Amino acid sequence: MSTETRDGRPLVRLRSARLAYGPRVLWDGLDLDVAPGEFLAVLGPNGSGKTSLMRVLLGLRPLSSGTVEIGGEAAHRGSRRIGYVPQQRAVDPTLAVRGRDLVGLGWDGHHWGLGLRGRAERRRRVDAALAAVGATRYADRPVGLLSGGEQQRLRVAQALVADPDVLLCDEPLLSLDLAHQRMVSELVARRAREHGTAVLFVTHEINPVLPLVDRVLYLVNGRFRIGPPDEVMTSATLSELYGTPVQVVRVGDRVVVAGAENGGGQHHVEETP
Amino acid sequence: MSRFLDLSTTLDLLGYDFVQHALLAAAVLGLVSGALAPLVVARQMSFAVHGTAELAFTGGAAALLLGWSVGAGALAGAVVAALLLGLLGQRDGERDSVIGVVLSSGLGLGVLLLWLYPGRAANKFSLLVGQIVGVDSTDLALLAGSALVVLVVLAVIYRPLLFSSVDPAVAVARGVPTRFLSPLFAVLVGVATALGVQTVGALLVLALMVTPGAAAVRVTANPALATVLAVVFAEVAAVGGILLSLAPGVPVSAFVTGISFLIYLVCRGIAAARARRPRT
């Protein structure tokens, strides 16, 4: 944890970033700064380049043009400054790994060797990360036998165990029920608040996160808008982004976006490398 | 039946060099295959192990025909197989069929080579189902040397390999070189498989490379404990199989696979009993 990242300078910085697959431009001219402690939701229809943005930040995919920096240095694969929660996928129930092993791999799984020397330190770190997400109770059970919500808590613990400056979450709420969606969102928001972690949170589920986020990056079909939720999540802004009438309706404390998926949402792009 | 329990014959035979060689070979094999087995299971490589074993058989048959060391031939065949499978089957959907293609062509070529071999039929048969007289002292040195290399390399790559096996998406993001680890692990498995071909034979090497791992992960989700258990299971099957086969003169592989399967059944039974018991 270096001091240079804690002085308010952005932890994530994109300048004139462009990403294109052949002739199809996912986004272009993207300037984005994410400050320490900021919680940014990345929203938009399928194929708008949300997961690709994660891959760019992880250094797994180069930009077509422009620059991307994490904590002042060019994004590169295996950066220790980034914690990553991948798209939620069902774990094979026969996989013989405990929750504590999964979290431990987040700590030192990329190191060579058996890791016998660092055992005490690893155990301390893993126990702390498990406790921070409230997963201690089931940490010794096989991961494949846990519920989706329990697995996702472990994923968050795995991403946070190495104390990253930046947390990237790619659809961490997928296939969770509403209570667990809230729980995971709040877990991440608390981390941003209390540890000054910059969070980029890709999701289709806007309601659990909107009350918690500082800003929204909304990507649609090559266009995008960045701003506080109240500015971006309006009928006028989204209609302009989608290029078709979109209604943003507030029902109680829920936000419903109507008509969006028919506008720009049908252009699927192969997002695998 | 009395032949199976003839202790004095067994003790007699234990005095022979070739029996001692075979026991040593089995102990080394149990250690290596047990250490690899849980990862083979986690990476769903059973069929790849089978395919590699068939090519080890082809290599062994070629060596037999040319008058070279069968152990070296099997080793060469298995490494070629591991590299072929690694190069041709990079995509998941393709892997299954590529193994099938490589396996059958290798086996066919091996059959041709054996047919060309003018020597004793027993030597030919032993490549497929194993025979303890198959191991001489030069083979033993090769076996121990290869085993040591496999274990050292495995120890070095163990953590990133486990990471990329159980959690590939995060492992890649963390900078684990998964594309380099997969073929490397395939080669390790290939070497271990080649060691097994001479004792248990090409057809039944799965009993040591897969079954102990499959049994261990039934009873524990702790990767370190699973590895220890798999080594113990593989040792019991390999060494125990040879000891039991001595008096009746039955091919080693029959006992090795039998013991291995029995351990697997017991582990499944334990897992089933645990699943019925309510969690506290």
Side-chain angles (χ1 to χ4, degrees):
Chain A
M1 200 135 342
S2 54
T3 48
E4 66 188 68
T5 61
R6 293 296 154 97
D7 60 2
R9 281 204 295 167
L11 283 168
V12 174
R13 167 169 286 209
L14 286 148
R15 283 292 172 275
S16 312
R18 172 193 168 92
L19 189 66
Y21 290 85
R24 179 162 158 70
V25 178
L26 285 174
W27 26 264
D28 193 5
L30 179 60
D31 293 326
L32 176 67
D33 285 337
V34 187
E38 189 176 10
F39 188 163
L40 178 91
V42 182
L43 309 178
N46 287 335
S48 57
K50 304 188 297 292
T51 293
S52 297
L53 176 62
M54 297 282 118
R55 295 181 61 78
V56 165
L57 295 170
L58 286 166
L60 297 175
R61 212 198 140 70
L63 286 172
S64 308
S65 66
T67 58
V68 51
E69 288 177 4
I70 304 288
E73 50 189 75
H76 62 93
R77 205 177 140 215
S79 168
R80 298 296 288 151
R81 299 185 149 209
I82 299 179
Y84 174 50
V85 179
Q87 284 203 11
Q88 223 254 343
R89 264 195 208 118
V91 177
D92 178 0
T94 63
L95 190 68
V97 176
R98 300 164 301 172
R100 114 180 354 274
D101 300 313
L102 201 67
V103 177
L105 288 170
W107 169 245
D108 64 359
H110 57 291
H111 285 303
W112 301 110
L114 294 169
L116 296 178
R117 243 181 305 166
R119 261 189 318 183
E121 165 84 348
R122 176 169 58 239
R123 187 166 178 94
R124 205 171 54 72
R125 288 277 185 169
V126 169
D127 283 342
L130 287 166
V133 301
T136 307
R137 194 171 46 82
Y138 46 82
D140 290 314
R141 290 198 210 147
V143 176
L145 299 182
L146 300 176
S147 73
E150 290 168 335
Q151 287 181 8
Q152 214 51 359
R153 276 188 197 239
L154 290 170
R155 286 279 179 207
V156 174
Q158 182 194 39
L160 294 179
V161 66
D163 205 4
D165 296 327
V166 178
L167 180 62
L168 305 179
C169 304
D170 194 357
E171 296 283 5
L173 307 181
L174 219 61
S175 75
L176 296 182
D177 59 40
L178 193 60
H180 282 110
Q181 288 180 350
R182 287 228 174 88
M183 178 273 293
V184 170
S185 309
E186 273 157 18
L187 207 60
V188 169
R190 202 177 69 211
R191 173 74 192 195
R193 223 169 31 236
E194 291 175 1
H195 289 79
T197 311
V199 176
L200 280 86
F201 196 98
V202 171
T203 185
H204 273 100
E205 309 288 344
I206 52 176
N207 281 298
V209 291
L210 272 192
L212 301 167
V213 303
D214 299 306
R215 281 192 301 161
V216 170
L217 164 62
Y218 206 112
L219 297 161
V220 185
N221 209 13
R223 292 181 289 269
F224 60 86
R225 186 64 65 88
I226 305 169
D230 287 344
E231 271 175 35
V232 176
M233 302 305 287
T234 63
S235 298
T237 307
L238 291 195
S239 295
E240 193 191 321
L241 274 177
Y242 279 97
T244 182
V246 171
Q247 287 288 322
V248 178
V249 190
R250 276 158 224 277
V251 187
D253 59 349
R254 285 177 60 79
V255 175
V256 179
V257 179
E261 291 297 320
N262 298 327
Q266 300 306 311
H267 303 281
H268 286 267
V269 165
E270 189 62 46
E271 290 208 14
T272 46
Chain B
M1 192 62 214
S2 63
R3 262 198 327 148
F4 281 78
L5 302 165
D6 188 344
L7 198 60
S8 64
T9 313
T10 303
L11 289 174
D12 258 4
L13 284 165
L14 280 175
Y16 286 92
D17 272 358
F18 76 91
V19 174
Q20 289 166 3
H21 286 162
L23 282 173
L24 266 174
V28 171
L29 182 62
L31 181 62
V32 174
S33 54
L36 294 171
L39 285 163
V40 169
V41 172
R43 298 175 73 86
Q44 305 183 348
M45 283 176 63
S46 299
F47 194 40
V49 169
H50 189 51
T52 311
E54 304 307 357
L55 279 238
F57 158 74
T58 311
L64 201 60
L65 181 64
L66 297 169
W68 298 344
S69 152
V70 171
L75 199 58
V79 171
V80 167
L83 291 176
L84 267 181
L85 298 183
L87 291 176
L88 294 178
Q90 288 280 13
R91 290 213 327 267
D92 267 2
E94 209 177 45
R95 216 167 55 182
D96 188 63
S97 56
V98 165
I99 295 169
V101 169
V102 171
L103 181 160
S104 56
S105 359
L107 198 54
L109 183 61
V111 169
L112 176 68
L113 293 169
L114 278 194
W115 178 76
L116 292 170
Y117 175 63
R120 283 176 57 236
N123 290 353
K124 308 177 182 182
F125 192 55
S126 74
L127 276 178
L128 285 171
V129 299
Q131 205 180 35
I132 52 168
V133 289
V135 187
D136 61 30
S137 51
T138 46
D139 282 335
L140 200 58
L142 179 70
L143 195 131
S146 324
L148 188 67
V149 171
V150 170
L151 289 175
V152 168
V153 174
L154 180 67
V156 171
I157 66 171
Y158 181 78
R159 255 185 304 174
L161 186 65
L162 181 70
F163 200 178
S164 66
S165 305
V166 303
D167 196 6
V170 179
V172 169
R174 270 261 174 260
V176 171
T178 47
R179 277 186 197 173
F180 152 78
L181 287 177
S182 290
L184 182 56
F185 183 66
V187 170
L188 293 189
V189 168
V191 173
T193 307
L195 306 184
V197 164
Q198 286 179 83
T199 39
V200 283
L203 293 181
L204 299 168
V205 78
L206 289 173
L208 289 178
M209 291 297 299
V210 175
T211 314
V217 300
R218 284 275 160 188
V219 291
T220 180
N222 176 344
L225 185 59
T227 305
V228 171
L229 281 179
V231 168
V232 171
F233 294 164
E235 289 289 356
V236 169
V239 177
I242 288 185
L243 287 176
L244 284 180
S245 76
L246 287 178
V250 173
V252 174
S253 49
F255 284 102
V256 173
T257 51
I259 294 171
S260 211
F261 184 56
L262 202 65
I263 291 171
Y264 177 72
L265 285 184
V266 169
C267 286
R268 279 202 79 125
I270 292 171
R274 272 193 203 155
R276 268 199 301 276
R277 202 177 57 201
R279 263 185 204 292
T280 46

